[in-house]
Amino acid sequence: MKKKATKTAGPVMDIGISADDRTEIAAGLSRLLADSFNLYLMTHNFHWNVKGPMFNTLHQMFMAQYTEQWNALDVIAERIRALGHPAPGTGKLFASLTSIDEPEGVPAALDMVRLLVAAQEATARTARGLFPLVDKANDQPTADLLTQRLEVHEKTAWMLRSLLEE
Ligand SMILES: [Fe+2]
């Protein structure tokens, strides 16, 4: 006979957000974490491999971006934990959760910029897509986190996009 599914042992959690909402929000934050990780890795990769007359500008700019991104990973993962769920932390899980494709080979400098604009925008869309649920669930800390991430990704996308304009 099948055993009845039981909840994980531990104290009952009641922060005023239903278990179902916490599960859904954690799933959305896991997708945001995966996008943020892939964006981080792409930016650091391009910091290492960029070439050409814009080397110094892009090498430095990418460093500022990946450093900010790296610190954000921890904040997103720990919000998932505070909602009572495990944070994804393997390459396999990130690959299955992300909306961002990994770059092939070493793109030319401006192609790196184009790929980063797209990845910044994709990460913003993932964060924004989660907002209605978070709002409905009255989850202010996640709403605050999403707002901060949106501000960074939209501003960074603008700065990168500006490199492509005349
Ligand atoms: Fe470096």
Side-chain angles (χ1 to χ4, degrees):
M1 211 163 144
K2 252 193 185 167
K3 253 180 98 181
K4 221 177 152 190
T6 47
K7 294 264 177 203
T8 318
V12 174
M13 179 173 168
D14 183 9
I15 57 170
I17 303 173
S18 74
D20 286 351
D21 282 348
R22 283 190 288 105
T23 300
E24 262 197 81
I25 294 166
L29 284 173
S30 297
R31 291 193 302 276
L32 179 61
L33 182 61
D35 277 0
S36 301
F37 185 84
N38 271 26
L39 173 59
Y40 154 77
L41 191 58
M42 190 189 290
T43 309
H44 210 151
N45 171 358
F46 292 169
H47 165 81
W48 293 324
N49 289 307
V50 69
K51 289 185 290 192
M54 293 178 78
F55 173 83
N56 206 41
T57 304
L58 295 181
H59 183 70
Q60 296 296 332
M61 189 187 197
F62 295 164
M63 182 165 72
Q65 290 171 5
Y66 77 67
T67 302
E68 194 283 333
Q69 197 67 50
W70 178 256
N71 290 319
L73 296 176
D74 199 53
V75 183
I76 300 166
E78 291 183 359
R79 183 60 195 155
I80 296 170
R81 296 295 299 123
L83 289 167
H85 287 269
T90 65
K92 209 183 222 178
L93 274 173
F94 287 147
S96 74
L97 289 166
T98 188
S99 69
I100 299 169
D101 289 331
E102 290 193 331
E104 302 268 342
V106 179
L110 286 182
D111 288 334
M112 288 181 174
V113 174
R114 285 183 194 98
L115 285 164
L116 287 173
V117 170
Q120 291 280 351
E121 290 180 350
T123 309
R125 289 195 300 276
T126 299
R128 180 162 276 113
L130 183 56
F131 215 95
L133 168 66
V134 163
D135 205 29
K136 190 197 80 181
N138 212 15
D139 179 352
Q140 292 85 1
T142 303
D144 182 50
L145 172 58
L146 293 176
T147 305
Q148 289 181 47
R149 297 318 302 153
L150 281 166
E151 198 174 343
V152 169
H153 293 302
E154 290 175 15
K155 184 173 180 177
T156 309
W158 154 59
M159 289 179 165
L160 289 162
R161 219 182 279 120
S162 297
L163 291 164
L164 304 169
E165 288 167 1
E166 291 300 315

